[in-house]
Amino acid sequence: MTTESGKKSRLIEEMKAQSGQDPNSCYQCGKCSAACPVTAALDLMPHQVIRYLQLGLEDELAESKTPWICASCFTCAARCPRDIDLARMMEGIRLSVLRCREGNKFGPADLTPEQLEKLPQQALVSGFRKYNK
Ligand code: SF4
Ligand code: SF4
Protein backbone atom coordinates (compact mmCIF):
# COMPACT_ATOMS: atom_id res chain seq x y z
CA MET A 1 0.00 0.00 0.00
CA THR A 2 1.37 3.40 -0.94
CA THR A 3 1.57 6.26 1.51
CA GLU A 4 -1.19 8.12 -0.35
CA SER A 5 -3.67 5.23 -0.34
CA GLY A 6 -2.75 4.44 3.25
CA LYS A 7 -3.61 8.01 4.20
CA LYS A 8 -6.90 7.85 2.33
CA SER A 9 -7.88 4.62 4.05
CA ARG A 10 -7.59 6.44 7.39
CA LEU A 11 -10.16 9.09 6.49
CA ILE A 12 -13.24 7.38 7.92
CA GLU A 13 -11.50 6.16 11.08
CA GLU A 14 -10.12 9.64 11.67
CA MET A 15 -13.55 11.18 11.05
CA LYS A 16 -15.06 8.86 13.67
CA ALA A 17 -12.34 9.76 16.17
CA GLN A 18 -12.78 13.49 15.49
CA SER A 19 -16.57 13.60 15.69
CA GLY A 20 -17.35 10.76 18.10
CA GLN A 21 -20.20 9.81 15.75
CA ASP A 22 -20.99 6.37 14.36
CA PRO A 23 -22.39 6.47 10.80
CA ASN A 24 -23.69 2.92 11.16
CA SER A 25 -26.44 4.07 13.53
CA CYS A 26 -28.11 5.96 10.65
CA TYR A 27 -31.07 4.17 9.05
CA GLN A 28 -31.33 6.52 6.06
CA CYS A 29 -34.69 8.10 6.84
CA GLY A 30 -33.65 11.29 5.02
CA LYS A 31 -34.94 13.78 7.61
CA CYS A 32 -31.54 15.48 7.74
CA SER A 33 -31.62 16.15 3.99
CA ALA A 34 -35.25 17.33 4.11
CA ALA A 35 -34.34 19.91 6.77
CA CYS A 36 -30.97 21.09 5.46
CA PRO A 37 -31.15 24.73 4.23
CA VAL A 38 -28.27 24.47 1.75
CA THR A 39 -29.16 21.36 -0.26
CA ALA A 40 -29.39 23.33 -3.53
CA ALA A 41 -25.64 23.85 -3.39
CA LEU A 42 -24.66 20.31 -2.35
CA ASP A 43 -23.36 17.57 -4.61
CA LEU A 44 -24.18 14.94 -1.97
CA MET A 45 -27.24 15.23 0.27
CA PRO A 46 -26.53 14.92 4.01
CA HIS A 47 -28.04 11.41 4.25
CA GLN A 48 -25.92 10.40 1.25
CA VAL A 49 -22.77 11.56 3.04
CA ILE A 50 -23.62 9.14 5.83
CA ARG A 51 -24.36 6.36 3.35
CA TYR A 52 -20.99 6.93 1.71
CA LEU A 53 -19.38 6.68 5.15
CA GLN A 54 -21.22 3.43 5.79
CA LEU A 55 -20.03 2.06 2.45
CA GLY A 56 -16.44 3.25 2.93
CA LEU A 57 -16.47 5.48 -0.17
CA GLU A 58 -13.61 7.63 1.07
CA ASP A 59 -12.30 8.92 -2.24
CA GLU A 60 -15.77 10.14 -3.24
CA LEU A 61 -16.20 11.86 0.13
CA ALA A 62 -12.79 13.49 -0.11
CA GLU A 63 -13.81 14.93 -3.50
CA SER A 64 -17.30 16.05 -2.45
CA LYS A 65 -18.12 19.75 -2.00
CA THR A 66 -20.81 19.02 0.59
CA PRO A 67 -18.71 19.01 3.80
CA TRP A 68 -17.19 22.36 2.78
CA ILE A 69 -20.57 23.96 2.03
CA CYS A 70 -22.29 22.68 5.18
CA ALA A 71 -23.12 25.73 7.28
CA SER A 72 -22.86 23.87 10.61
CA CYS A 73 -26.36 25.04 11.46
CA PHE A 74 -27.18 21.82 13.39
CA THR A 75 -30.69 21.60 11.90
CA CYS A 76 -29.98 18.05 10.77
CA ALA A 77 -28.79 17.07 14.25
CA ALA A 78 -31.96 18.51 15.80
CA ARG A 79 -34.18 16.52 13.40
CA CYS A 80 -32.36 13.18 13.48
CA PRO A 81 -34.39 10.45 15.19
CA ARG A 82 -31.14 8.57 15.89
CA ASP A 83 -29.44 11.54 17.62
CA ILE A 84 -26.67 11.62 15.04
CA ASP A 85 -24.80 14.91 15.02
CA LEU A 86 -24.20 15.26 11.31
CA ALA A 87 -22.74 18.76 11.69
CA ARG A 88 -19.95 17.32 13.86
CA MET A 89 -19.49 14.57 11.30
CA MET A 90 -19.06 17.17 8.54
CA GLU A 91 -16.44 18.94 10.63
CA GLY A 92 -14.77 15.56 11.22
CA ILE A 93 -14.70 14.94 7.46
CA ARG A 94 -13.19 18.38 6.79
CA LEU A 95 -10.47 17.82 9.38
CA SER A 96 -9.77 14.31 8.15
CA VAL A 97 -9.48 15.42 4.52
CA LEU A 98 -7.08 18.20 5.50
CA ARG A 99 -4.98 15.89 7.63
CA CYS A 100 -4.90 13.00 5.17
CA ARG A 101 -3.88 15.21 2.26
CA GLU A 102 -0.20 15.38 1.41
CA GLY A 103 1.65 18.60 2.12
CA ASN A 104 -0.76 19.87 4.74
CA LYS A 105 1.52 19.69 7.73
CA PHE A 106 2.04 22.96 9.52
CA GLY A 107 4.09 23.63 12.61
CA PRO A 108 6.14 26.27 14.44
CA ALA A 109 9.12 25.68 12.13
CA ASP A 110 7.02 26.96 9.19
CA LEU A 111 6.68 30.42 10.75
CA THR A 112 9.16 33.24 11.10
CA PRO A 113 10.03 34.47 14.62
CA GLU A 114 8.13 37.67 13.79
CA GLN A 115 5.00 35.73 12.82
CA LEU A 116 5.26 33.62 15.96
CA GLU A 117 5.44 36.78 18.03
CA LYS A 118 2.69 38.73 16.29
CA LEU A 119 0.04 36.16 15.39
CA PRO A 120 -2.66 35.56 18.02
CA GLN A 121 -1.89 32.57 20.21
CA GLN A 122 -5.36 31.17 19.65
CA ALA A 123 -4.91 31.21 15.87
CA LEU A 124 -1.53 29.48 16.17
CA VAL A 125 -2.79 26.74 18.46
CA SER A 126 -5.87 26.24 16.29
CA GLY A 127 -3.73 25.98 13.15
CA PHE A 128 -1.28 23.55 14.73
CA ARG A 129 -4.13 21.38 15.97
CA LYS A 130 -5.84 21.38 12.59
CA TYR A 131 -2.83 20.66 10.43
CA ASN A 132 -0.77 18.36 12.64
CA LYS A 133 -1.43 14.74 13.46
S1 SF4 B 1 -31.94 12.03 9.96
FE1 SF4 B 1 -30.46 10.75 11.07
S2 SF4 B 1 -31.14 8.62 10.74
FE2 SF4 B 1 -32.20 9.92 9.23
S3 SF4 B 1 -30.86 9.83 7.39
FE3 SF4 B 1 -30.24 11.65 8.55
S4 SF4 B 1 -28.57 10.94 9.89
FE4 SF4 B 1 -29.64 9.12 9.15
S1 SF4 C 1 -25.43 21.27 9.70
FE1 SF4 C 1 -24.84 21.22 7.52
S2 SF4 C 1 -25.74 19.31 6.73
FE2 SF4 C 1 -26.76 19.78 8.67
S3 SF4 C 1 -28.60 20.92 8.10
FE3 SF4 C 1 -26.99 22.44 8.56
S4 SF4 C 1 -26.00 22.88 6.59
FE4 SF4 C 1 -27.21 20.98 6.33
Side-chain angles (χ1 to χ4, degrees), residues 77-112:
R79 300 284 173 88
C80 178
R82 301 286 290 168
D83 288 329
I84 295 169
D85 191 337
L86 188 46
R88 284 186 68 188
M89 250 187 213
M90 295 287 194
E91 173 64 5
I93 293 170
R94 290 192 290 269
L95 275 177
S96 306
V97 168
L98 288 173
R99 289 180 174 177
C100 292
R101 220 174 247 165
E102 291 288 353
N104 269 347
K105 283 196 171 178
F106 172 69
D110 297 310
L111 296 169
T112 65

Side-chain angles (χ1 to χ4, degrees), residues 32 36-38 46 70-76 86-87 90:
C32 49
C36 177
V38 296
C70 166
S72 299
C73 68
F74 294 96
T75 307
C76 50
L86 188 46
M90 295 287 194

Side-chain angles (χ1 to χ4, degrees), residues 26-58:
C26 166
Y27 55 30
Q28 290 287 291
C29 69
K31 285 192 175 181
C32 49
S33 297
C36 177
V38 296
T39 50
L42 306 181
D43 55 5
L44 283 178
M45 295 298 107
H47 74 285
Q48 289 177 308
V49 168
I50 299 205
R51 189 63 180 146
Y52 275 40
L53 288 167
Q54 290 172 339
L55 295 173
L57 300 174
E58 298 178 334

